[in-house]
Amino acid sequence: MRIVAGKFGSRRIETRKSNDTRPTLDKVREAVFSSLGGMFEGGCVLDLYGGSGAVGLEAVSRGFDAAVECDLNREACAVIRKNIESLHCEDQVTVLCMKDVKALSVCKQKGMKFDLVYLDPPYAKQQNLMILQKLVEYGLLNEEADVVIESDQKDHFEETIGTLVPLKEKEYGITRITYYKNKGSQIK
């Protein structure tokens, strides 16, 4: 696996040796970031199911100031830390080794706000609608923040949740990408 573009472009990163993690494919990451604008001038990204850290590291490579990588699995967190060290971006990336809801609570306590949130949980264990509700309830999104859900092709997320409005969906083989935008004020 590699970083697709930006200051770390073409650099290889590690993934877990087991089949417990399903890394976001390079072509899907490229398509998502291209759809969001390609390169960025600052901001903070939350990769709630980090795996290898590829999404957050891609975001930092493309111009985000900071990333928060979260994963419940200690082995995954070790891989993320190794990738951070290999790219020498320790000052830009934070790793939270804990459950998704606990990580959101920690981010709330620290007063964090995100410009991009990437959700790619294990397909069989996803609770994406609940996570979207927590993002809004905890005030973790900057106005005009993007939330991207990577899910199984058969999954559809079409409902507005608080200030989060669904924008579009794209399919890449067996993967569906759903884009939400935070509109900043409660949608009636």
Side-chain angles (χ1 to χ4, degrees):
M1 176 170 282
R2 66 185 178 86
I3 301 294
V4 178
K7 67 182 177 184
F8 306 137
S10 299
R11 297 272 306 271
R12 292 215 167 272
I13 58 173
E14 300 288 322
T15 60
R16 287 181 58 203
K17 305 291 186 246
S18 73
N19 291 330
D20 294 343
T21 303
R22 176 191 30 78
T24 301
L25 298 174
D26 293 354
K27 71 177 185 174
V28 174
R29 243 181 309 115
E30 172 61 27
V32 167
F33 279 99
S34 291
S35 181
L36 295 172
M39 300 302 280
F40 306 90
E41 294 182 17
C44 189
V45 61
L46 171 63
D47 184 3
L48 197 55
Y49 306 92
S52 66
V55 171
L57 295 171
E58 184 79 42
V60 169
S61 180
R62 291 172 178 258
F64 274 81
D65 294 321
V68 175
E69 294 282 358
C70 174
D71 204 292
L72 173 61
N73 184 284
R74 293 200 183 285
E75 184 183 336
C77 291
V79 168
I80 294 168
R81 286 185 181 101
K82 184 176 179 181
N83 288 331
I84 292 167
E85 288 173 16
S86 75
L87 297 173
H88 306 290
C89 59
E90 296 90 342
D91 59 333
Q92 291 179 276
V93 185
T94 301
V95 179
L96 300 176
C97 196
M98 59 189 66
K99 289 186 65 138
D100 50 10
V101 176
K102 175 68 175 165
L104 294 178
S105 179
V106 167
C107 291
K108 176 185 176 188
Q109 290 169 4
K110 292 184 176 189
M112 296 177 150
K113 293 224 181 231
F114 299 98
D115 300 286
L116 171 62
V117 176
Y118 199 87
L119 305 177
D120 180 17
Y123 291 170
K125 298 179 181 178
Q126 64 186 5
Q127 301 177 65
N128 291 318
L129 294 177
M130 183 271 293
I131 295 297
L132 293 175
Q133 290 168 345
K134 292 288 185 196
L135 289 168
V136 172
E137 177 186 332
Y138 290 176
L140 295 174
L141 302 171
N142 283 321
E143 192 166 341
E144 298 300 314
D146 293 294
V147 178
V148 179
I149 301 171
E150 181 177 334
S151 65
D152 189 273
Q153 179 188 31
K154 69 181 184 315
D155 296 326
H156 291 278
F157 305 96
E158 301 168 347
E159 63 186 86
T160 296
I161 298 179
T163 57
L164 281 172
V165 178
L167 293 182
K168 63 183 174 182
E169 295 181 322
K170 296 279 187 179
E171 291 182 22
Y172 304 93
I174 63 166
T175 300
R176 177 179 306 279
I177 301 293
T178 305
Y179 297 86
Y180 274 82
K181 180 68 90 173
N182 187 40
K183 291 302 183 181
S185 59
Q186 193 70 23
I187 307 299
K188 304 282 186 218

